[in-house]
Amino acid sequence: MRSIRAYVLLELGELAGLITFIVVLAQFIRIPLWLAVAIPAGKLLKFILVYPSVRRSAKQPIYTGLESLIGEQGFVVDPLNPEGYVKVRGELWRARGEGLPIPVGTEVEVRATDGIRLMVRPRARQDLPTSGELRQNMAVAIVWKKFSWLIGLAAVVAIVLIADAFLGFIPWHKRPLGGLSSEPSPAPTLLRVCLYQDSGAKLSSGAELPEIHLYQDGRPFGQLSPSQLQDGCGSWPIELGHRYFAEAYLGGIYSGKSEETTLATAGQYELKLTLIPAREQQVRVFFSGGTTPLPNALVIVYTHTGLPWASACTDALGLTPPFRLQPTTREEEYYRIEVLVEGELVATERVRVEPGRGASPLVSLITTREPGAAPGTCASWL
């Protein structure tokens, strides 16, 4: 009984491990519910089918010594008249035959033991399997031992798929071409994400459009570039029963987030994504210890991703026109400002833009480089 308990605990442990693996895997990829149920069910079916055989074998008596030879086959090497010698398991044993004398070469079966002597009888020729049958039986036994669980799983999957062909209860593959169902394919569920300004007005196609990233249950689901948006909106075919939200990014800078929604019925839905308003940012460049404006210098603004965002030339007061920059609300976000004179980098600085309305505080950069370009030359470097 101890061996039966060990077998049951082992099988239940494997089943629990399999269920745990499926649950963990489902956190990273989408697994159909029917498949998540069918795999453990196949394992459980295999246990139910094999358990009776295990229980019967565990209840059989265990033989040791000569008793372990009972039921074994061998052949006569010395005539049994009525005693002689037989070879069983490659070893010679003194044996006594039943009935008539048994000649050399006769195949016999061990029926019992008498001290250190075997009691044997001839084995009927028609009961002896051929060598081909022996190999076939051995191959079947090995396959069953190694792959019985796989056979059980394949049987469960086959039953489920056959039943679905008639009943159509698996939603993830309705309906294959040439299937048994004549119902038309349902219209896909679409989620439409539209961009809005802080004022509540819908963003027009002529405005500067961001990338839209869609998330399903907190994981990336898809994204659309500005060129893929129409009238400030983008659409995705989605799956029901999941949580969705969208985020906007301008030049890699986080620019807004929609509300979250969970869709339960088919149809077309719209998410409203309001953009964080941009702020105007001016840059002033000085030289000679920060007291004299540097005119005709090229100022380039990059995002933290290395994307060139804006550029302009300084005027006679060392000022650039206002740049429209998105607030840097996340820790990893910033803008890098570079100043060039005649193509030479003379100053650089990282800045962050705080959320708010109106213009941001003026950013000042100081360089020791003297102005060396004639007025108007900077425009040729843009």
Side-chain angles (χ1 to χ4, degrees):
M1 296 300 292
R2 183 175 299 176
S3 61
I4 296 179
R5 287 197 298 270
Y7 171 75
V8 172
L9 291 176
L10 178 62
E11 289 292 321
L12 293 180
E14 290 181 358
L15 181 61
L18 182 61
I19 294 175
T20 303
F21 174 75
I22 293 174
V23 171
V24 173
L25 188 62
Q27 304 303 313
F28 301 94
I29 62 174
R30 294 187 294 274
I31 301 178
L33 178 60
W34 72 269
L35 183 60
V37 173
I39 294 176
K43 176 70 175 175
L44 183 61
L45 178 62
K46 175 251 183 181
F47 168 72
I48 294 174
L49 294 176
V50 174
Y51 177 75
S53 300
V54 174
R55 185 177 180 85
R56 284 194 300 270
S57 63
K59 290 184 176 182
Q60 292 179 353
I62 300 176
Y63 296 105
T64 60
L66 287 180
E67 290 184 346
S68 65
L69 296 178
I70 296 176
E72 293 288 336
Q73 284 82 40
F75 59 92
V76 178
V77 296
D78 186 47
L80 304 183
N81 191 17
E83 293 187 6
Y85 287 90
V86 297
K87 180 172 282 191
V88 179
R89 292 184 182 174
E91 298 179 342
L92 288 177
W93 296 91
R94 188 165 182 80
R96 181 181 181 87
E98 297 180 359
L100 298 176
I102 303 176
V104 174
T106 304
E107 295 185 356
V108 293
E109 179 182 358
V110 180
R111 304 294 296 170
T113 61
D114 181 13
I116 60 172
R117 183 173 55 185
L118 304 180
M119 307 300 292
V120 300
R121 73 172 183 181
R123 190 179 182 198
R125 174 58 58 180
Q126 59 271 25
D127 295 337
L128 295 174
T130 65
S131 58
E133 291 172 337
L134 286 174
R135 287 194 297 269
Q136 182 179 358
N137 293 340
M138 184 177 296
V140 171
I142 292 174
V143 170
W144 176 254
K145 182 179 180 180
K146 297 291 185 182
F147 303 104
S148 58
W149 66 271
L150 187 59
I151 296 173
L153 175 61
V156 171
V157 173
I159 292 172
V160 171
L161 293 179
I162 292 174
D164 174 70
F166 291 94
L167 303 178
F169 57 84
I170 300 178
W172 67 280
H173 74 304
K174 290 185 174 61
R175 188 89 265 148
L177 294 176
L180 298 178
S181 175
S182 59
E183 299 178 1
S185 299
T189 299
L190 294 178
L191 180 61
R192 182 177 172 88
V193 180
C194 291
L195 301 170
Y196 287 82
Q197 300 175 1
D198 185 48
S199 61
K202 193 173 182 180
L203 205 64
S204 63
S205 298
E208 190 171 32
L209 298 176
E211 285 186 348
I212 300 179
H213 295 211
L214 185 67
Y215 295 83
Q216 180 193 75
D217 298 330
R219 296 189 293 268
F221 184 78
Q223 70 181 61
L224 292 177
S225 65
S227 61
Q228 294 175 297
L229 303 181
Q230 294 182 354
D231 298 327
C233 297
S235 299
W236 283 271
I238 60 169
E239 302 170 350
L240 299 178
H242 296 275
R243 292 181 297 107
Y244 292 94
F245 67 89
E247 291 181 348
Y249 291 86
L250 272 165
I253 303 292
Y254 171 76
S255 304
K257 177 182 177 181
S258 72
E259 70 276 9
E260 288 194 13
T261 184
T262 301
L263 308 179
T265 57
Q268 296 192 12
Y269 300 86
E270 180 176 312
L271 276 180
K272 181 179 179 180
L273 199 164
T274 301
L275 297 178
I276 300 173
R279 301 190 68 181
E280 291 188 347
Q281 179 75 67
Q282 272 189 297
V283 178
R284 171 173 282 178
V285 185
F286 294 93
F287 74 99
S288 298
T291 58
T292 306
L294 180 64
N296 210 32
L298 176 62
V299 178
I300 305 177
V301 181
Y302 297 88
T303 66
H304 68 285
T305 61
L307 179 71
W309 182 255
S311 61
C313 296
T314 57
D315 59 16
L317 299 177
L319 282 171
T320 64
F323 299 118
R324 288 185 58 81
L325 304 181
Q326 286 297 125
T328 50
T329 57
R330 296 185 172 176
E331 184 178 355
E332 70 275 9
E333 297 176 343
Y334 61 87
Y335 290 95
R336 188 178 80 252
I337 300 177
E338 294 184 355
V339 179
L340 293 90
V341 175
E342 295 182 337
E344 179 185 350
L345 180 65
V346 297
T348 181
E349 185 172 337
R350 288 186 180 185
V351 298
R352 292 179 60 86
V353 179
E354 298 298 327
R357 297 184 181 276
S360 296
L362 188 69
V363 175
S364 298
L365 282 83
I366 301 175
T367 176
T368 58
R369 172 66 185 265
E370 299 285 340
T377 307
C378 172
S380 65
W381 303 334
L382 293 175

